[in-house]
Amino acid sequence: MDTALDRAVRVFRERGYHATSIGDLTAAMRLATGSVYKAFRDKHAVFLAAFERYTTLRQQQTSNAAARGANGRERLRNVLLSYVEHSRGSEGRRGCLVVGSAVELSAVDPVVGARVNAQLKTNENFIAGLIREGLADGSIPRHVDVEDTARLMICITQGLRVVGKARLPLDGERLVDVAMKLLA
Amino acid sequence: MDTALDRAVRVFRERGYHATSIGDLTAAMRLATGSVYKAFRDKHAVFLAAFERYTTLRQQQTSNAAARGANGRERLRNVLLSYVEHSRGSEGRRGCLVVGSAVELSAVDPVVGARVNAQLKTNENFIAGLIREGLADGSIPRHVDVEDTARLMICITQGLRVVGKARLPLDGERLVDVAMKLLA
DNA sequence: TTTATTCGGGAACAATCATTCCCTATTATC
DNA sequence: GATAATAGGGAATGATTGTTCCCGAATAAA
């Protein structure tokens, strides 16, 4: 069942919510129509489950990226690098469910809107935490503002997904080197 | 006719392409179904026309913002500020057609994908031009890399629209002050 | 072995979609 | 002033959508 949900995630990422018919879903999930409606109330419920699965998986991936860093600054750098890598190439073209949901559904679907909002805040808090770690261990200068820098970095990460979906080439090392100036 | 197209722009910005029925379009444009199909070949053609109208209008707005600046650095700062203002509040919730198209259509619609890609490059070139002006007039330090900085700033602007659509509050002065560190 | 019960599959359904067709005014042409 | 041409409006159409219903196989209970 979780593997079916993973396939649903993939379809929703590629095509978005409205362009994904339940025919597309059943084909991708390798389930019949009836079976999908036995497991989920409706298409909206499938999407919500896919959204949750996607965000928990992504959370793990960025946490792992952060873990490979000796201090706050390095952990933050690794997170940014991880974001660029996920926004590049075929994975980037596949898209981000959070960005997709924000753009396509946030304004018209209050339930999805609330989840997107919560997820962005979670991500922002995670980055803010890394900045605070850097302030504490001395790898980030004292005068850096935590909230403002974290919010701008969220903008960068979300923007990376948009630009990656549009197939502009992204060079991780170079972009991150520029972005790290925000911690000067 | 142009005023009808403006209304179409608004609907597409708010709901995206797939969630906008031609019933929504006719209601917004105040035209009957037949009239829409006399003016445009199909729904896709309406969207393309709306997209072009939106981008030319936005181009003008950011050009005007840039014009109110004494040197390259100030012009760039005004452009960023303008982007934040357009990503805030009700205008921000309305969304950006370029970001929306990139996320919803870029991967599945080659025609729209090409236009989105071209528009992003145009925006990037505009920003790169401002950076070069700043390098020439001395308001931006010599060691700033034009291409990398411009690409990251495009990520910031696109990310602002995503975050604004998700209704996170954006403080223009503070965010731009942080972003201007990229020109250090 | 026989009988319930659950589970997956797919045909049938109603609603909605984009699109076409035709009718009616209004304007332009002769 | 009569007629052709155009522009706009809305009903009809066929395809596609999300959803429900029912059937058959497999498993569990008796």
Side-chain angles (χ1 to χ4, degrees):
Chain A
M1 168 54 65
D2 263 357
T3 135
L5 202 53
D6 281 326
R7 296 195 232 263
V9 167
R10 182 159 171 161
V11 182
F12 279 130
R13 286 177 61 192
E14 287 172 352
R15 304 159 100 105
Y17 180 77
H18 289 290
T20 302
S21 72
I22 83 116
D24 295 330
L25 272 178
T26 56
M29 298 169 89
R30 285 172 235 223
L31 289 174
T33 356
S35 306
V36 171
Y37 277 87
K38 280 224 174 66
F40 303 94
R41 187 157 38 81
D42 52 14
K43 180 184 170 185
H44 195 258
V46 181
F47 184 79
L48 253 44
F51 184 89
E52 188 166 330
R53 180 152 180 85
Y54 175 78
T55 52
T56 59
L57 180 69
R58 288 287 301 135
Q59 199 98 298
Q60 287 173 14
Q61 290 172 330
T62 65
S63 290
N64 290 346
R68 291 188 294 274
N71 55 38
R73 161 181 288 266
E74 282 185 20
R75 283 192 280 277
L76 196 40
R77 187 186 152 83
N78 285 342
V79 166
L80 290 178
L81 254 174
S82 163
Y83 257 101
V84 178
E85 289 312 311
H86 281 276
S87 307
R88 261 166 41 87
S90 58
E91 178 69 4
R93 197 168 333 110
R94 207 155 278 144
C96 168
L97 250 196
V98 177
V99 172
S101 305
V103 171
E104 194 187 356
L105 297 173
S106 220
V108 286
D109 185 331
V111 176
V112 173
R115 306 225 177 174
V116 168
N117 196 284
Q119 187 57 37
L120 287 181
K121 282 181 181 165
T122 300
N123 294 349
E124 188 180 67
N125 286 337
F126 182 73
I127 289 181
L130 294 180
I131 298 178
R132 287 200 189 87
E133 290 176 25
L135 292 175
D137 64 31
S139 61
I140 293 176
R142 256 180 309 280
H143 53 79
V144 168
D145 185 277
V146 177
E147 277 78 21
D148 293 342
T149 307
R151 177 135 306 179
L152 190 67
M153 286 200 168
I154 284 297
C155 292
I156 291 178
T157 58
Q158 305 302 93
L160 279 169
R161 305 310 297 253
V162 174
V163 172
K165 188 110 188 178
R167 313 190 69 156
L168 288 199
L170 298 171
D171 186 317
E173 296 288 340
R174 302 181 66 152
L175 280 178
V176 172
D177 278 348
V178 178
M180 292 299 282
K181 286 188 180 178
L182 299 175
L183 302 181
Chain B
M1 169 53 66
D2 263 357
T3 134
L5 203 53
D6 281 326
R7 295 194 235 263
V9 168
R10 184 160 170 161
V11 183
F12 278 130
R13 285 177 62 191
E14 286 171 352
R15 304 158 100 105
Y17 180 77
H18 289 290
T20 301
S21 72
I22 85 115
D24 295 330
L25 273 177
T26 57
M29 298 169 89
R30 285 173 236 222
L31 289 174
T33 0
S35 308
V36 171
Y37 277 87
K38 280 229 172 65
F40 304 94
R41 188 155 38 83
D42 52 15
K43 181 184 169 185
H44 195 260
V46 181
F47 184 80
L48 253 43
F51 184 89
E52 187 166 330
R53 180 154 181 84
Y54 175 78
T55 53
T56 60
L57 181 68
R58 287 288 299 135
Q59 199 97 297
Q60 288 173 14
Q61 290 172 330
T62 64
S63 290
N64 290 344
R68 290 188 295 274
N71 55 38
R73 163 181 287 266
E74 283 185 20
R75 283 193 279 275
L76 196 40
R77 187 185 152 83
N78 286 342
V79 166
L80 290 178
L81 254 174
S82 163
Y83 257 101
V84 178
E85 289 312 311
H86 280 276
S87 308
R88 261 166 41 87
S90 58
E91 178 69 6
R93 197 171 334 109
R94 208 155 279 146
C96 168
L97 250 195
V98 178
V99 172
S101 306
V103 171
E104 194 187 357
L105 297 174
S106 219
V108 286
D109 185 331
V111 177
V112 173
R115 306 225 178 174
V116 168
N117 196 283
Q119 186 57 38
L120 287 181
K121 282 182 181 164
T122 300
N123 293 348
E124 189 180 66
N125 286 337
F126 182 73
I127 289 181
L130 294 180
I131 297 178
R132 287 201 188 86
E133 289 176 25
L135 292 176
D137 64 30
S139 60
I140 293 175
R142 256 181 307 279
H143 54 79
V144 168
D145 184 278
V146 178
E147 277 78 22
D148 293 343
T149 307
R151 177 136 302 181
L152 190 67
M153 286 201 167
I154 284 298
C155 292
I156 291 178
T157 59
Q158 305 302 94
L160 279 168
R161 305 308 298 252
V162 174
V163 171
K165 188 109 189 182
R167 313 189 70 155
L168 289 199
L170 297 171
D171 185 316
E173 296 288 340
R174 302 180 67 154
L175 281 178
V176 172
D177 278 348
V178 178
M180 291 300 282
K181 285 187 180 180
L182 299 176
L183 303 180

